[in-house]
Amino acid sequence: MSLPPSLANTTTTPKFSSTPDLKSRSVAYFSMEIALSPTLPTYSGGLGMLAGDTLRSAADTGAPMLAVSLVHRRGYFKQHLDANGQQTEEDVSWTPETMLPSAEQVVTITMQGRTVKVQAWRFDVVGVAGHVIPVFLLDTDIEGNDPFDRKLTDHLYGGDTYYRLCQETVLGIGGAELLAALGCELKVYHMNEGHASLLSLSLLETQVESRTGSKSLMAATEEDRLAVARRCVFTTHTPVPAGHDQFGLDQMYAVLGDERSKALERFGGLHNNLLNMTYVALRFSRWVNGVAMQHGKVSQAMFPDYHVESITNGVHAATWMAQPLQELLDKEIPRWRHDNQYFRSVYGVTPAKIANCHRLTKRKLLELIAERTGEFLDERVLTLGFARRVATYKRANLLLEDPKRLAKLANKIGGLQIIYAGKAHPADAAGKGLIREVFELAGKINTNSLRILYLENYDWELGAKLTQGVDVWVNTPRRPYEASGTSGMKAALNGVPSLSILDGWWIEGCAEDVTGWAIDDGDNDEAEAGSLYEKLEQRVAPLYQRPNAWARMQQHCIAMNGSFFNTDRMLGQYFANAYFPQEQPTYATPAIEAEVEAETPVAAAI
């Protein structure tokens, strides 16, 4: 499938500057996926959205950054759902040659016992004042490469584990080699998840060469490892074991070769006799963090031999806030575009004006649903949204745990509308089964007072419409597997409260009856579903029937959660605490003193 002309025509074509001054960039941000534009299929979900929002805030705040990812010529996938909820997938193909300028640099890396040429395409993220963050999308589809190698940058999260290890080699080693060839003089390499952790091997080879005149890793020492670690920062995003990529030793030796593989063994990159990309990143980083306060604690327990901090995720406000609300705030508090802390000033905006903005965006959402499905929902009825990657631990079916009680509740409160969306990974049979289960249950209990719809092909644009237009955002993960979650943050920016399990960001964002409601912890799904129904019936629905009080809650969501859960704040914390702590006179963090002597503030944090 190619990008539809209708989509391409509704999005402004990116404008590209002349090549930015790369020598002025001090931080390189590596991520397997980055959501750069609705027209580019370079992301799958939350990780890519976070990466894109991070770079948009970097552009807005004038940060000295650049970024590296893969081009993903055939994208993640477009989702199709039949009448029973059976998911099938279709490629989303695009040609960077027709849409992006070349980086005008080709590097050669050694992989699988042969050389592979890597080129890159440049996407410029342009900030509110014109600052540019160049993003280099690596591409191996070059004449002269082995046919297998030419397809390595085709599919995001596609193929088998061997394909994935080759992809991650291109991202890490190829990315680091490209930046060196472009003349970058970087101080910090940020690994956004472990996919890019093999960049440490490229840095280690350069470090050894500076000391010995040869890149041979046979001569690498512990001091060399620490020298690399002083330049690297690692963010882990998942407490789910399956989310940490690992590969067999046979694959490691086949892809990386004898010398690099032995170096990874020697410096602690193996765990349970497997190459573990998270452990590679841990061993070669001076700073490690989770993506919410609770996730930092969970990660610390998972990796007790390493010091793990936390920096809570955020979202890029101007990307996710609905247009009517943006226009209102441009009149009332125009500095919000340059400083998200001004969202606190929304307390000076009449709540009724905020409520009116939401009515407009809810109407737009319901019009979109009618266009897509032929189903007409009532904008006066309380509408819940549940949309995210479909994985079993996210429990999309918890809302439907007791169908009879839910139907009775909907009738009692004057009606209820539930809108679902989400993709399951093509190889996740359980996730696909969960979609079918939601379809089946919805088909049995849909009535005039209870309407349940599942929208196909959850993507950037649908995600924006949902978080802007529903009345309440629902999230029901099984604790403690939600690292952060950002969709609820997007909803809060639009004045939409959450009804969610206390996990991830919601532990920090939930002020009961002010910014939303917490689903109480229970011993099983039945108990937690019971709490969800109770909150809906006794707290949510009664408040929804009081328009002035509901508008006040919408105001609280923006002022309290919008002013904190944004990537401007998040990126500032990365610069102050992770990237350049030595420039923060009040900065202090516990150190693993056994690793190195605390001679400098940077070394002390290793």
Side-chain angles (χ1 to χ4, degrees):
M1 172 194 159
S2 297
L3 291 170
S6 59
L7 180 59
N9 292 338
T10 58
T11 305
T12 302
T13 300
K15 294 181 179 179
F16 302 98
S17 64
S18 57
T19 303
D21 178 14
L22 299 181
K23 290 187 181 296
S24 67
R25 307 306 166 113
S26 54
V27 178
Y29 184 88
F30 281 67
S31 184
M32 178 64 89
E33 54 171 299
I34 304 178
L36 296 168
S37 163
T39 64
L40 300 183
T42 56
Y43 68 95
S44 71
L47 182 70
M49 284 297 180
L50 174 77
D53 281 0
T54 299
L55 300 179
R56 284 182 276 278
S57 280
D60 287 345
T61 57
M65 296 178 70
L66 54 79
V68 177
S69 188
L70 301 184
V71 73
H72 304 305
R73 284 176 173 269
R74 300 180 71 177
Y76 188 45
F77 67 88
K78 180 178 181 180
Q79 179 195 53
H80 297 285
L81 296 172
D82 68 14
N84 297 315
Q86 178 62 49
Q87 174 182 294
T88 54
E89 302 87 26
E90 181 183 357
D91 286 350
V92 184
S93 298
W94 70 295
T95 53
E97 295 90 340
T98 64
M99 299 181 70
L100 302 178
S102 170
E104 299 181 349
Q105 182 69 58
V106 177
V107 295
T108 300
I109 64 173
T110 301
M111 184 175 66
Q112 308 171 87
R114 58 179 177 260
T115 58
V116 179
K117 291 185 289 186
V118 182
Q119 63 183 349
W121 307 93
R122 198 186 84 236
F123 183 100
D124 292 339
V125 180
V126 182
V128 65
H131 182 68
V132 173
I133 302 296
V135 182
F136 297 100
L137 302 176
L138 305 179
D139 182 13
T140 59
D141 188 12
I142 303 176
E143 187 175 352
N145 276 346
D146 182 271
F148 175 83
D149 298 338
R150 293 187 69 164
K151 297 180 179 181
L152 288 176
T153 51
D154 275 1
H155 286 104
L156 173 58
Y157 304 135
D160 56 16
T161 56
Y162 187 88
Y163 180 89
R164 285 285 295 276
L165 180 54
C166 290
Q167 277 193 323
E168 296 183 18
T169 303
V170 172
L171 176 63
I173 296 178
E177 294 290 334
L178 176 80
L179 298 184
L182 289 171
C184 299
E185 298 176 356
L186 298 157
K187 297 179 180 178
V188 177
Y189 291 78
H190 185 168
M191 294 173 274
N192 188 44
E193 253 310 341
H195 309 116
S197 62
L198 293 180
L199 70 84
S200 59
L201 286 178
S202 179
L203 297 183
L204 186 62
E205 288 171 346
T206 301
Q207 166 63 24
V208 172
E209 183 181 32
S210 70
R211 186 173 56 80
T212 69
S214 168
K215 288 190 174 184
S216 173
L217 293 181
M218 300 299 290
T221 65
E222 179 67 3
E223 288 71 24
D224 291 323
R225 180 189 71 82
L226 293 174
V228 171
R230 291 186 183 97
R231 303 174 67 190
C232 293
V233 165
F234 171 49
T235 299
T236 177
H237 285 265
T238 176
V240 181
H244 300 270
D245 282 356
Q246 51 190 9
F247 305 96
L249 300 189
D250 56 339
Q251 293 182 334
M252 177 180 73
Y253 274 88
V255 174
L256 298 175
D258 189 73
E259 189 173 292
R260 285 172 171 166
S261 297
K262 287 182 176 178
L264 289 172
E265 290 187 32
R266 187 150 52 97
F267 291 120
L270 272 56
H271 183 66
N272 292 332
N273 207 35
L274 294 170
L275 170 61
N276 187 298
M277 305 304 264
T278 296
Y279 277 84
V280 175
L282 289 168
R283 290 295 291 161
F284 284 94
S285 296
R286 62 170 167 79
W287 166 279
V288 180
N289 70 275
V291 290
M293 176 190 67
Q294 175 67 12
H295 179 234
K297 295 177 181 178
V298 172
S299 298
Q300 184 64 82
M302 290 178 70
F303 309 114
D305 295 333
Y306 301 88
H307 182 72
V308 182
E309 293 276 2
S310 64
I311 295 178
T312 301
N313 282 344
V315 297
H316 184 251
T319 296
W320 299 106
M321 184 176 281
Q323 193 60 34
L325 191 52
Q326 290 195 33
E327 292 172 0
L328 173 64
L329 297 188
D330 283 342
K331 294 176 183 177
E332 302 272 1
I333 46 174
R335 289 297 300 173
W336 75 270
R337 290 188 182 273
H338 299 269
D339 183 352
N340 288 175
Q341 293 184 77
Y342 276 91
F343 283 130
R344 291 290 290 189
S345 300
V346 81
Y347 281 125
V349 178
T350 305
K353 293 182 179 180
I354 298 171
N356 186 58
C357 289
H358 185 262
R359 273 193 293 274
L360 295 174
T361 55
K362 184 176 183 181
R363 187 173 303 156
K364 287 287 187 183
L365 170 63
L366 300 192
E367 289 172 356
L368 175 67
I369 292 172
E371 180 183 324
R372 283 194 173 200
T373 68
E375 298 285 343
F376 294 87
L377 301 182
D378 189 338
E379 66 180 77
R380 298 168 299 178
V381 173
L382 178 64
T383 302
L384 311 183
F386 184 104
R388 52 195 36 88
R389 178 172 62 87
V390 181
T392 52
Y393 78 88
K394 292 179 181 287
R395 295 192 295 181
N397 55 352
L398 192 72
L399 257 172
L400 311 177
E401 174 74 17
D402 188 340
K404 291 183 179 179
R405 181 174 178 182
L406 182 63
K408 182 178 179 181
L409 183 159
N411 189 58
K412 180 179 180 180
I413 66 175
L416 184 65
Q417 298 169 159
I418 304 173
I419 305 171
Y420 278 98
K423 298 177 179 179
H425 186 278
D428 185 359
K432 290 182 176 182
L434 196 52
I435 297 175
R436 293 194 300 273
E437 181 181 345
V438 171
F439 266 71
E440 181 181 357
L441 290 170
K444 292 178 178 178
I445 61 176
N446 259 318
T447 63
N448 289 335
S449 60
L450 177 59
R451 305 288 301 281
I452 305 172
L453 297 177
Y454 200 113
L455 305 181
E456 73 176 3
N457 201 40
Y458 181 48
D459 61 6
W460 180 328
E461 293 190 317
L462 180 57
K465 293 294 186 185
L466 287 169
T467 53
Q468 293 165 3
V470 300
D471 296 310
V472 178
W473 196 252
V474 179
N475 191 20
T476 53
R478 181 169 285 109
R479 289 185 51 148
Y481 296 124
E482 183 80 318
S484 172
T486 54
S487 58
M489 300 176 187
K490 297 164 189 171
L493 269 173
N494 288 282
V496 175
S498 285
L499 171 61
S500 298
I501 293 287
L502 279 174
D503 200 10
W505 84 282
W506 192 231
I507 295 174
E508 302 165 58
C510 179
E512 189 76 7
D513 293 317
V514 179
T515 61
W517 305 268
I519 299 169
D520 296 333
D521 291 346
D523 293 332
N524 50 45
D525 289 358
E526 181 181 1
E528 293 185 343
S531 173
L532 189 161
Y533 297 144
E534 183 178 334
K535 291 286 176 78
L536 263 178
E537 181 178 350
Q538 299 182 11
R539 309 285 273 278
V540 181
L543 190 69
Y544 185 73
Q545 299 302 323
R546 298 164 53 204
N548 292 338
W550 192 265
R552 183 67 171 165
M553 172 170 274
Q554 292 174 318
Q555 185 184 49
H556 288 317
C557 289
I558 300 169
M560 296 177 67
N561 284 345
S563 62
F564 183 79
F565 296 102
N566 58 76
T567 40
D568 284 13
R569 180 273 313 160
M570 182 199 79
L571 190 61
Q573 286 190 282
Y574 273 109
F575 268 87
N577 300 330
Y579 297 164
F580 302 111
Q582 68 273 28
E583 297 178 11
Q584 308 300 318
T586 60
Y587 174 80
T589 186
I592 301 178
E593 297 179 356
E595 289 274 13
V596 293
E597 294 180 9
E599 296 178 348
T600 68
V602 179
I606 296 176

